[in-house]
């Protein structure tokens, strides 16, 4: 991608973003849950029983975003 899908004019570093993808592949007996940042190994890749797909998902997404933010150039982060 050459530019973000949702550009925001928020000062220096505007347009930098952490791209996190959450996929839930629902199978006949269980589901596979995948949380990943674009182009990097999955932060979470688990097989779960039906009805438990969302357990702990917020924590995994938060961790993926925090790791992605830590990798942005210093000038792109707001302290």
């Amino acid at each position: 991608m050459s530019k973000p899908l949702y550009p925001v004019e928020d000062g220096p570093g505007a347009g930098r973003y952490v791209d996190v993808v959450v996929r839930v592949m629902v199978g006949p007996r269980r589901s596979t849950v995948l949380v990943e940042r674009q182009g990097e190994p999955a932060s979470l890749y688990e097989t779960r029983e039906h009805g438990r797909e969302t357990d702990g998902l917020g924590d995994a997404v938060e961790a993926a975003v925090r790791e992605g933010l830590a990798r942005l150039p210093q000038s792109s982060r707001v302290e």
Side-chain angles (χ1 to χ4, degrees):
M1 254 183 218
S2 60
K3 59 184 177 178
L5 296 175
Y6 307 102
V8 177
E9 297 301 325
D10 63 353
R16 296 211 180 256
Y17 59 96
V18 177
D19 189 17
V20 177
V21 176
V22 177
R23 289 187 179 92
V24 178
M25 296 158 277
V26 181
R29 294 190 185 120
R30 58 189 173 267
S31 298
T32 300
V33 179
L34 177 69
V35 176
E36 63 184 350
R37 285 188 312 276
Q38 187 175 12
E40 296 185 15
S43 301
L44 175 72
Y45 183 87
E46 292 182 2
T47 302
R48 298 178 175 186
E49 47 184 87
H50 288 296
R52 304 198 59 145
E53 291 89 351
T54 62
D55 290 355
L57 195 54
D59 293 336
V61 171
E62 182 178 349
V65 171
R66 287 184 185 277
E67 290 170 17
L69 288 173
R71 293 175 185 214
L72 287 178
Q74 194 72 355
S75 62
S76 299
R77 287 190 264 155
V78 177
E79 300 294 328

